[in-house]
């Protein structure tokens, strides 16, 4: 009988008992590894930040028009709204108000013209028998300069309202052109404005040419007087006689500058490419200076802000490499770096608290944003250091 017949068979109990042990060993190793990685690299949550700005009224007035809607994308420089300011010209009867302003100014210039003529006649009568031919020429050159100043001022006063109306039409055309491109306005409305603009432009061009010639005449008159005064000073009696009139003309010049500085309408434009995230006012609504009209936010985040726990602050530094992890689908992981460290520890935004009832604090850190993540502004993103 063979000896193998009585050899004992290996028991399967050892093999069956060894598998759970192996699994537990591997699990423990994995736990140790994860613990070690967790110890070496900790995770946080950040917020994708984007440029955001409130478009506010730059003076009291009324919203004449709004060319944007909620969640509409806008480009840098694009008009968002037209604000009609509360000023002597800032109402519906713009042209009427401008013409009234011009009529008042021209009436004052007519008075100054009459005063200049009367002063010239008086000086001529007082000195015609006593003054020399040179003094007479001097006096006339002084009068020529002041007459040229008045002529320039009259032309500027005539031109100013027409220029303002032209600029107002420019704004209207720019707004309506964009509305036509989007199908929100009929083409004929834009064509009508273009015809008005062409007529107004022709009027302004003609008056500008006349003003340019008058300014040239003024410079020539001043040059002749300056050359003469360099050889012989102006007589004291002539200076005293002309001083009140010169001051009156100067006052009128300043009033004209104020008139040109008053803008009946102002365009509120987008400072950068953005999306309208909130609208606070509607067309024709009255607003005060500083009132928020709308809020726009950049369509792409500029950076990620996260908060480092106080016990981890010593581990972060500028230019440190970090991982940004998109938490929504499609999930992505990109490598970025820290660009700035905050100056002090501060309270973390509540949406990042683990327990909504327990405030948390940390050091704010800015991380460069990678457009490959495809995040929305204010979206939360995982951060691994």
């Amino acid at each position: 009988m063979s000896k193998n017949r009585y050899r004992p068979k290996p028991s399967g109990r050892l093999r069956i008992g060894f598998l759970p042990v192996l699994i537990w060993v591997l699990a423990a190793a994995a736990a140790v590894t994860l613990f070690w990685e967790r110890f070496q690299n900790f995770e946080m949550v950040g917020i994708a930040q984007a440029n955001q700005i409130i478009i506010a009224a730059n003076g009291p007035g009324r919203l004449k028009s709004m060319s944007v809607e909620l969640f509409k994308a806008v480009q840098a420089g694009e008009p968002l709204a037209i604000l009609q300011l509360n000023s002597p010209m800032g109402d519906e009867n713009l042209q009427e108000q401008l013409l009234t302003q011009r009529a008042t100014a021209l009436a004052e210039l007519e008075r100054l013209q009459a005063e200049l003529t009367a002063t010239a006649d008086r000086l001529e009568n007082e000195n015609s028998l006593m003054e020399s031919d040179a003094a007479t020429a001097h006096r006339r050159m002084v009068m020529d300069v002041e007459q040229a100043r008045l002529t320039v001022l009259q032309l500027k006063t005539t031109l100013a309202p027409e220029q303002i109306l032209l600029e107002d039409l420019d704004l209207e055309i720019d707004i309506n052109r964009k509305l036509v491109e989007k199908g929100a306005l009929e083409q004929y409305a834009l064509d009508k404005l273009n015809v008005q603009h062409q007529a107004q432009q022709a009027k302004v061009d003609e008056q500008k040419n006349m003003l340019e010639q008058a300014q040239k005449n003024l410079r020539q008159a001043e040059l002749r007087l300056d050359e003469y005064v360099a050889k012989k000073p102006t007589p004291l009696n002539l200076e005293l006689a002309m001083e009140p009139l010169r001051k009156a003309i100067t006052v009128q010049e300043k009033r004209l500058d104020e008139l040109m500085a008053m803008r009946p309408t102002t365009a509120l434009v987008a400072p950068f490419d953005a999306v309208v995230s909130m609208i606070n006012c509607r067309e024709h609504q009255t607003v005060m200076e500083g009132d928020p009209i709308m809020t726009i936010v950049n369509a792409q985040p500029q950076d990620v802000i996260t908060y480092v726990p106080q016990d981890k602050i010593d581990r972060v530094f500028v230019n440190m490499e970090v991982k940004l992890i998109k938490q929504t689908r499609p999930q992505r992981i990109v490598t970025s770096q820290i660009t700035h460290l905050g100056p002090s520890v501060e309270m973390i935004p509540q949406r990042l608290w683990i327990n909504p009832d327990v405030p948390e604090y940390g050091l704010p850190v800015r991380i460069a944003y990678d457009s490959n993540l495809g995040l929305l502004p204010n979206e939360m993103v995982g951060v691994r250091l």
Side-chain angles (χ1 to χ4, degrees), residues 314-330:
D314 59 334
R315 300 189 187 182
V316 296
F317 52 88
V318 174
N319 296 328
M320 178 181 177
E321 187 175 285
V322 299
K323 299 287 186 181
L324 296 178
I325 307 165
K326 184 179 180 182
Q327 299 177 333
T328 56
R329 294 183 180 180

Side-chain angles (χ1 to χ4, degrees), residues 256-366:
L256 179 61
D257 291 339
E258 293 176 356
L259 176 66
M260 288 299 295
M262 296 170 64
R263 309 306 332 146
T265 56
T266 180
L268 306 176
V269 301
F272 49 78
D273 294 349
V275 175
V276 179
S277 62
M278 180 181 296
I279 293 181
N280 305 92
C281 301
R282 298 296 176 187
E283 284 190 359
H284 311 302
Q285 181 175 333
T286 300
V287 295
M288 300 300 295
E289 183 174 1
D291 283 353
I293 295 176
M294 69 184 69
T295 301
I296 62 174
V297 60
N298 199 299
Q300 288 288 333
Q302 275 66 58
D303 48 40
V304 172
I305 304 295
T306 190
Y307 295 82
V308 179
Q310 298 183 59
D311 59 338
K312 311 293 186 181
I313 291 176
D314 59 334
R315 300 189 187 182
V316 296
F317 52 88
V318 174
N319 296 328
M320 178 181 177
E321 187 175 285
V322 299
K323 299 287 186 181
L324 296 178
I325 307 165
K326 184 179 180 182
Q327 299 177 333
T328 56
R329 294 183 180 180
Q331 293 185 346
R332 297 187 179 99
I333 300 178
V334 300
T335 301
S336 186
Q337 63 180 14
I338 294 175
T339 59
H340 297 82
L341 300 179
S344 62
V345 173
E346 59 185 54
M347 183 182 292
I348 298 174
Q350 187 175 12
R351 61 186 295 204
L352 300 182
W353 296 356
I354 296 176
N355 185 337
D357 297 325
V358 180
E360 298 182 29
Y361 294 81
L363 178 71
V365 172
R366 282 178 59 186

Side-chain angles (χ1 to χ4, degrees), residues 32-50:
V32 170
T33 301
L34 290 174
F35 178 80
W36 179 253
E37 290 182 356
R38 185 70 175 178
F39 178 76
Q40 293 292 331
N41 305 301
F42 54 93
E43 296 179 344
M44 298 169 296
V45 178
I47 300 176
Q49 299 283 340

